[in-house]
C-alpha cells in the first residue's frame, strides 16, 4: 500500500481481555517495528522484525505481549489479560532496509477500562 | 542502551520566528532521523541525516556525528509547524537496529 496501515484506529477493552492490533507495512519493506506511546510521552520500542531473521523482542514489557509477522508482511501485536497500564497508542513503522528512513502508521489508541 | 536528550523540552514561537532544536546522543550512531508529530498524532519523517547538512523548504538539519549532536532549524515558523519534534538514533553496532527516541521538543507557534 501507499503507507503503513494500522487497525483498528481505536480499541476500548475491559481489563483482563485479550486484544490484537494489526499492522500492514508499506509493500516491499523488509523491516517492521512496534512502538508504544503513552499520553504525553516519547516512543518506547517494543519489537522489531527484519526479513526472515529472529525478531528482536527486547522491548516487550512482559510475557503478556507477543507479536508475529506472517509471510514477511502483515504483523499482529497481541496483548493478553490487558491491564490499565497498557492503555497507550501503539505505533507500527516500516522501512525498506536497515539504516533507512522509517515510516509510521497512524497508530491504534488502546484504552483499557 | 544509547541515551538521547533533546532540548529545549518546550518552545513557544511567534509566527515568523526562527528556532533551533538540539539532539544529543551518548554513543556513535549510523542513523539519525528527525520526526514531526502533528497535533493529530501522525509521525512524519522529516530528515534521514546520520551526518552532514540537509534542507527541506523552511527546515534544515545538521548532524555532527563526531561530537554526537544534531540540530534542527525551523525558519519563518508557521502555525502548521506546531507539534512535537522527535530525534531518533540507531547505534553503530551490528545486529542492533532499534531506533531510540528522545523525549521530544513540543513546539507551539502562535499567530
Amino acid at each position: 500500500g501507499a503507507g503503513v496501515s494500522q487497525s483498528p484506529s481505536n480499541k476500548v477493552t475491559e481489563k483482563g481481555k485479550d486484544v490484537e492490533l494489526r499492522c500492514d507495512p508499506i509493500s516491499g519493506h523488509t523491516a517492521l517495528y512496534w512502538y508504544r506511546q503513552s499520553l504525553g510521552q516519547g516512543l518506547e520500542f517494543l519489537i522489531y522484525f527484519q526479513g526472515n531473521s529472529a525478531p528482536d523482542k527486547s522491548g516487550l514489557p512482559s510475557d503478556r505481549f507477543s507479536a508475529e509477522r506472517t509471510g514477511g508482511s502483515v504483523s499482529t501485536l497481541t496483548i493478553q489479560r490487558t491491564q490499565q497500564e497498557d492503555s497507550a497508542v501503539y505505533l507500527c513503522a516500516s522501512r525498506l532496509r536497515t539504516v533507512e528512513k522509517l515510516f509510521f502508521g497512524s497508530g491504534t489508541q488502546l484504552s483499557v477500562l | 542502551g544509547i541515551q538521547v536528550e533533546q532540548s529545549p523540552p518546550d518552545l513557544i514561537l511567534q509566527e515568523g520566528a526562527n528556532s533551533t532544536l538540539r539532539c544529543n546522543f551518548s554513543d556513535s550512531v549510523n542513523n539519525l532521523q528527525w520526526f514531526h508529530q502533528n497535533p493529530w498524532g501522525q509521525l512524519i519523517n522529516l530528515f534521514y541525516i546520520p551526518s552532514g547538512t540537509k534542507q527541506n523548504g523552511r527546515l534544515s538539519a545538521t548532524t555532527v556525528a563526531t561530537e554526537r549532536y544534531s540540530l534542527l532549524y525551523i525558519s519563518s515558523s508557521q502555525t502548521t509547524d506546531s507539534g512535537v519534534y522527535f530525534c531518533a538514533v540507531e547505534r553503530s553496532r551490528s545486529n542492533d537496529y532499534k531506533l531510540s527516541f528522545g523525549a521530544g521538543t513540543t513546539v507551539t507557534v502562535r499567530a
Side-chain angles (χ1 to χ4, degrees):
Chain A
V4 179
S5 177
Q6 291 188 246
S7 60
S9 55
N10 285 283
K11 177 71 176 179
V12 180
T13 191
E14 294 179 350
K15 178 182 173 182
K17 301 281 190 183
D18 297 351
V19 295
E20 286 189 351
L21 313 179
R22 177 186 169 103
C23 173
D24 280 282
I26 293 172
S27 178
H29 280 196
T30 62
L32 186 148
Y33 293 78
W34 284 97
Y35 284 85
R36 177 168 72 173
Q37 186 175 30
S38 300
L39 187 62
Q41 302 298 309
L43 277 73
E44 174 189 6
F45 168 79
L46 297 177
I47 188 168
Y48 159 75
F49 296 89
Q50 171 60 53
N52 295 322
S53 302
D56 179 345
K57 305 179 181 181
S58 60
L60 294 178
S62 77
D63 59 8
R64 295 186 296 105
F65 288 73
S66 63
E68 63 178 17
R69 189 178 185 193
T70 54
S73 181
V74 172
S75 177
T76 302
L77 177 69
T78 301
I79 309 173
Q80 296 179 310
R81 304 180 303 280
T82 52
Q83 304 294 313
Q84 289 183 333
E85 60 263 28
D86 298 335
S87 296
V89 176
Y90 289 81
L91 292 158
C92 177
S94 72
R95 61 181 179 182
L96 186 58
R97 286 178 293 271
T98 57
V99 201
E100 293 259 356
K101 289 181 74 170
L102 194 63
F103 296 91
F104 279 87
S106 299
T108 294
Q109 172 73 63
L110 175 65
S111 300
V112 182
L113 304 180
Chain B
I2 191 168
Q3 303 302 311
V4 184
E5 295 183 356
Q6 292 187 241
S7 60
D10 299 281
L11 191 58
I12 298 175
L13 301 172
Q14 200 62 36
E15 198 169 30
N18 304 327
S19 65
T20 301
L21 282 60
R22 188 177 179 101
C23 172
N24 293 334
F25 42 94
S26 61
D27 203 348
S28 57
V29 300
N30 59 7
N31 184 359
L32 187 145
Q33 301 186 30
W34 283 96
F35 295 85
H36 175 224
Q37 187 169 40
N38 65 25
W40 297 271
Q42 180 66 50
L43 277 155
I44 304 298
N45 194 306
L46 298 175
F47 293 102
Y48 167 72
I49 186 166
S51 64
T53 298
K54 290 187 177 180
Q55 180 148 11
N56 183 1
R58 295 180 296 99
L59 301 180
S60 63
T62 295
T63 297
V64 184
T66 53
E67 297 187 21
R68 300 182 182 175
Y69 73 88
S70 182
L71 302 174
L72 178 69
Y73 305 96
I74 305 174
S75 64
S76 304
S77 58
Q78 300 179 359
T79 56
T80 52
D81 295 331
S82 296
V84 184
Y85 290 80
F86 289 103
C87 167
V89 302
E90 187 171 346
R91 287 193 303 181
S92 299
R93 298 189 184 185
S94 62
N95 300 320
D96 185 0
Y97 302 114
K98 297 187 289 292
L99 267 84
S100 297
F101 282 74
T105 293
T106 301
V107 173
T108 303
V109 181
R110 293 179 173 165

